[in-house]
Amino acid sequence: MTTAHASPSRTVSEPDPLPAIRHAYRMRDEYQRAELRLNNQLKALQRRSGHGSRDSQLAVAGASLEGIGQVSLEPQKHDADPSFDVLGEHLKRHRDELGKERKRWEKNLIALTKELPVWPWAEAIRGVGPLSLGQVIAETGDLALYANPAKVWKRMGLAVFEGKAQRRVTDKALAVVMGYNPRRRKVMFIVADNLVKLNKGIYRELYDERKAYELAQHPEFSKKHIDLRARRYMAKRLLRDLWVEWRRQASVMLTPPRTMLDASIPFLPNVPVPVPPLIPAMEAVHANSTTGRIR
């Protein structure tokens, strides 16, 4: 059965994977946060029950393989109050159950992301895995709906307003203009961190070049400030390239969503609408700052 609300980058006869990707991403995020809360409660319980200092606990704890800041703390036997051990066992069991569900949703998100037409392109980039790509697409939605890369940058918290980075502000009117979301910015921070640590190709070279440029232009900045500016530049280039590849993968003959049509005209889902040719080259984007120039 077809639907009249398919995304512009797909024909109405094809299933749209984006809603399933968004759902898997949100469920994974909910389970992850619940897991972390229980893990923090377990650590606090062990500190209160007299199991030694925080440093001594962390020294004997094993870090999780997921790299999300968890530590596995086994309840220790002591003579003070066995009820602490019982509570600790309950917390640990529930935390592990949440971890299993989180991993299940991660597998779903990875499987759905690998079905995207842009995955073969992203797979060739060291440091960009299906999990991180799925998180980006879950936050952005259909990239064909963005007129230019600058709109994608703003969506993910990487835009520049009056020479300053997009950020959280207290002024309500300015906050609406900023459109800053810390969750989306965190996703791009992790993506940039993976690229810096794992990528040995163009994106690591962009980071190194930009870092040297920022150091020469702003010697008064701290090393951390320069590092963050270079990471933002590299992440924006990745989003720009992803936007170009997404549009390149889109079919030339598209069916627009109902919101793009005149309400007085009957919707004809089988009538294709041609679109202008896309820019094939990764570097060939508009020159001004509102459409593609990275700052």
Side-chain angles (χ1 to χ4, degrees), residues 2-21:
T2 60
T3 175
H5 297 281
S7 61
S9 61
R10 306 179 68 86
T11 62
V12 292
S13 60
E14 296 176 324
D16 189 354
L18 297 183
I21 289 177

Side-chain angles (χ1 to χ4, degrees), residues 72-138:
S72 176
L73 296 177
E74 298 291 342
Q76 302 176 17
K77 297 298 180 181
H78 60 94
D79 298 330
D81 189 350
S83 60
F84 281 106
D85 287 339
V86 176
L87 178 57
E89 288 289 351
H90 284 306
L91 291 176
K92 183 178 182 298
R93 183 170 66 253
H94 290 306
R95 183 202 63 184
D96 293 343
E97 291 174 356
L98 290 172
K100 291 178 181 179
E101 283 298 306
R102 172 182 56 79
K103 292 177 181 178
R104 186 173 69 86
W105 283 108
E106 282 182 358
K107 291 180 180 179
N108 291 342
L109 180 57
I110 290 172
L112 290 167
T113 303
K114 289 183 176 180
E115 297 298 321
L116 293 173
V118 295
W119 168 241
W121 170 84
E123 187 178 16
I125 303 174
R126 183 176 174 83
V128 178
L131 183 60
S132 58
L133 177 63
Q135 293 179 76
V136 172
I137 298 303

Side-chain angles (χ1 to χ4, degrees), residues 152-224:
V152 185
W153 298 339
K154 182 179 179 182
R155 174 72 177 176
M156 300 305 292
L158 297 173
V160 176
F161 288 88
E162 299 179 353
K164 295 184 179 180
Q166 189 178 358
R167 62 202 182 279
R168 191 199 301 266
V169 293
T170 56
D171 184 84
K172 293 184 178 180
L174 183 58
V176 173
V177 176
M178 285 280 186
Y180 181 79
N181 185 297
R183 184 186 68 248
R184 293 194 285 265
R185 185 63 183 91
K186 182 185 73 172
V187 169
M188 292 311 303
F189 181 88
I190 295 174
V191 170
D193 190 60
N194 290 337
L195 286 176
V196 170
K197 294 177 179 178
L198 301 176
N199 190 267
K200 304 299 181 182
I202 180 176
Y203 295 104
R204 178 58 197 237
E205 294 175 0
L206 283 171
Y207 166 79
D208 292 335
E209 292 174 1
R210 188 67 183 188
K211 191 173 182 180
Y213 171 82
E214 294 287 352
L215 183 60
Q217 293 292 318
H218 305 284
E220 72 280 6
F221 287 173
S222 65
K223 292 183 178 180
K224 185 63 176 179

Side-chain angles (χ1 to χ4, degrees), residues 5-74:
H5 297 281
S7 61
S9 61
R10 306 179 68 86
T11 62
V12 292
S13 60
E14 296 176 324
D16 189 354
L18 297 183
I21 289 177
R22 284 193 293 267
H23 180 67
Y25 166 69
R26 289 169 182 169
M27 292 303 299
R28 183 254 184 186
D29 184 64
E30 291 292 340
Y31 275 105
Q32 184 184 67
R33 287 191 286 128
E35 183 185 2
L36 287 174
R37 283 195 294 267
L38 278 183
N39 194 73
N40 290 335
Q41 185 179 357
L42 178 58
K43 290 190 292 184
L45 175 66
Q46 291 202 333
R47 290 195 296 271
R48 291 197 303 269
S49 61
H51 286 327
S53 65
R54 177 177 180 274
D55 292 338
S56 63
Q57 294 174 47
L58 296 179
V60 298
S64 66
L65 298 179
E66 289 74 19
I68 57 175
Q70 300 181 41
V71 289
S72 176
L73 296 177
E74 298 291 342

